[in-house]
């Protein structure tokens, strides 16, 4: 019997964050201890609101959502409404959440869970900028020896940048936080653009979500005449796909953040190598660049599993099968 993995989802929803959260909540192998919101794709007040909307859509009001950091460690916040819309979840509108924002600081929640659970049992699943995680390490450096792993979506090597010529958005927003995390000694698994740009939302794949009936409880909960969970997911994909298809000239948009959760559920779908990754924080041209020593030419010790390939068909099979259970 597969042992349940304890995870904390740190996120800045974002449509692809939303799909990742749904995948986690639909998977019994994962025990979601908390969702901690961070400013990123949109400001914090929207990311924690969106996180609660997603939990309610999945019928999981039992999962506590906390607000974390509202700005990067050392820079002004950069957001991405031009991709995700003014709400961060543009597409089919979801009702305002009824579940309250949980009391307490999301950073302290991360620290408390890591310290109170047995050492080496809590994985941090990071779908946005690394501000909350770096702040937790500043407040309580001892958690570095207790975190099982950090699995994050961020960075790039072969695909270079998506917000600047050199940098991927999540790392670019708070490179100082990323630098602190990559220097922490915690085991890190990186799902960069090199992987996510191979997980494209083709028309056939999006159609599978749109045709999804969803679980009986979900249909009853959403009510007659309301869109199914599959239609909601398809509308999210349609919205942000409009930007990426034009940008990359591909047949679909990259579905970034669900790769983090998929790795936890089925690591065999991904391939990469252990390399050293450093974060550029000074250069105005390459700020936020993930300098991945893919060819191992520096002699620096590996500090991350940097993934490069994914079985895209199996990845989408997993998404549709699991989310279809909600």
């Amino acid at each position: 019997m597969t042992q349940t993995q304890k995870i904390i989802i740190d996120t800045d929803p974002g449509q692809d964050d939303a799909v990742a959260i749904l995948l986690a909540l639909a998977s019994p192998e994962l025990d979601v201890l908390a969702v901690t919101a961070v400013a990123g794709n949109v400001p914090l007040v929207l990311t924690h609101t969106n996180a609660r909307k997603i939990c309610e859509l999945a019928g999981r009001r039992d999962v506590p959502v906390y607000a974390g950091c509202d700005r990067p460690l050392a820079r002004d916040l950069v957001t991405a409404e031009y991709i995700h819309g003014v709400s961060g979840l543009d597409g089919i509108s979801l009702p305002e959440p009824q579940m309250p924002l949980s009391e307490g600081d999301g950073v302290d929640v991360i620290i408390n869970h890591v310290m109170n659970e047995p050492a080496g049992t809590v994985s941090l699943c990071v779908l946005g900028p690394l501000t909350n995680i770096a702040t937790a390490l500043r407040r309580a450096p001892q958690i570095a020896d207790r975190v099982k792993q950090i699995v994050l979506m961020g960075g790039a090597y072969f695909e270079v940048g998506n917000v600047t010529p050199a940098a991927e958005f999540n790392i670019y927003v708070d490179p100082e936080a990323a630098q602190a995390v990559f220097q922490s000694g915690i085991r890190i698994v990186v799902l960069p653009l090199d992987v996510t740009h191979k997980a494209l939302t083709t028309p056939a794949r999006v159609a599978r979500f749109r045709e999804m009936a969803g679980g009986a409880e979900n249909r009853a909960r959403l009510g007659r005449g309301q869109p199914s969970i599959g239609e909601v997911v398809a509308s999210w994909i349609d919205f942000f796909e409009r930007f990426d298809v034009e940008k990359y000239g591909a047949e679909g948009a990259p579905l970034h953040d669900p790769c983090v959760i998929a790795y936890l559920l089925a690591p065999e779908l991904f391939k990469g190598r252990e390399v050293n990754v450093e974060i550029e924080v000074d250069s105005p041209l390459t700020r936020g660049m993930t300098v991945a020593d893919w060819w191992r030419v520096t002699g620096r010790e590996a500090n991350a599993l940097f993934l490069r390939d994914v079985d895209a068909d199996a990845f989408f099979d997993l998404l549709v099968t699991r989310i279809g259970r909600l």
Side-chain angles (χ1 to χ4, degrees):
M1 184 176 178
T2 303
Q3 186 174 7
T4 302
Q5 302 182 65
K6 298 178 183 295
I7 69 171
I8 296 172
I9 299 176
D10 192 69
T11 182
D12 61 338
Q15 290 91 349
D16 56 327
D17 303 69
V19 179
I21 294 168
L22 291 178
L23 177 60
L25 297 180
S27 299
E29 304 96 320
L30 303 179
D31 179 9
V32 182
L33 301 174
V35 174
T36 53
V38 67
N41 285 324
V42 287
L44 181 65
V45 67
L46 293 175
T47 61
H48 71 64
T49 299
N50 290 344
R52 287 179 285 142
K53 288 181 179 181
I54 297 157
C55 289
E56 289 192 351
L57 178 66
R60 292 295 304 275
R61 294 186 180 183
D62 59 301
V63 176
V65 175
Y66 298 88
C69 297
D70 65 355
R71 67 194 66 188
L73 296 182
R75 302 176 187 267
D76 293 335
L77 177 64
V78 175
T79 55
E81 289 89 348
Y82 61 96
I83 297 175
H84 299 281
V86 294
S87 74
L89 272 186
D90 282 18
I92 290 179
S93 296
L94 296 178
E96 289 300 305
Q98 298 302 304
M99 61 183 286
L101 182 66
S102 295
E103 294 185 3
D105 179 1
V107 173
D108 289 337
V109 167
I110 292 170
I111 295 169
N112 292 338
H113 275 300
V114 171
M115 296 304 298
N116 292 333
E117 299 288 345
T121 63
V122 177
S123 294
L124 305 180
C125 303
V126 186
L127 312 181
L130 284 150
T131 315
N132 285 345
I133 312 305
T135 304
L137 287 165
R138 282 185 173 183
R139 292 183 190 174
Q142 64 270 28
I143 68 172
D145 293 328
R146 299 182 62 87
V147 173
K148 179 179 180 180
Q149 61 185 345
I150 296 172
V151 185
L152 65 93
M153 189 279 128
Y157 177 73
F158 295 94
E159 288 288 314
V160 293
N162 66 352
V163 67
T164 75
E168 178 276 330
F169 178 82
N170 285 345
I171 305 298
Y172 177 80
V173 169
D174 198 343
E176 284 79 12
Q179 182 184 61
V181 170
F182 276 88
Q183 294 177 352
S184 69
I186 300 171
R187 180 179 189 266
I188 299 174
V189 180
V190 184
L191 283 299
L193 299 182
D194 306 294
V195 165
T196 66
H197 282 192
K198 295 173 182 175
L200 298 178
T201 58
T202 64
R205 289 167 177 165
V206 178
R208 295 181 66 187
F209 288 108
R210 188 167 282 109
E211 295 162 3
M212 183 190 299
E217 291 184 5
N218 181 268
R219 293 196 301 274
R221 185 173 62 253
L222 293 175
R224 182 175 297 180
Q226 296 300 309
S228 69
I229 199 164
E231 289 170 330
V232 173
V233 170
S235 79
W236 288 336
I237 293 172
D238 285 343
F239 186 85
F240 77 82
E241 188 178 70
R242 88 211 183 284
F243 177 83
D244 282 337
V245 169
E246 181 177 347
K247 178 178 181 179
Y248 298 114
E251 59 179 334
L255 201 55
H256 305 287
D257 293 327
C259 289
V260 168
I261 306 302
Y263 173 82
L264 291 174
L265 297 171
E268 68 277 6
L269 300 184
F270 300 87
K271 294 180 180 179
R273 62 173 64 172
E274 300 278 351
V275 301
N276 179 269
V277 179
E278 302 293 338
I279 309 299
E280 175 57 56
V281 298
D282 295 319
S283 168
L285 287 177
T286 58
R287 174 167 71 93
M289 182 179 182
T290 44
V291 185
D293 185 12
W294 185 262
W295 303 117
R296 298 170 178 151
V297 296
T298 65
R300 294 193 294 260
E301 184 177 353
N303 62 353
L305 173 58
F306 201 83
L307 299 173
R308 183 179 179 184
D309 293 301
V310 60
D311 182 337
D313 288 335
F315 167 71
F316 277 94
D317 285 344
L318 178 66
L319 281 176
V320 172
T321 300
R322 292 303 178 89
I323 294 176
R325 296 175 179 176
L326 291 173

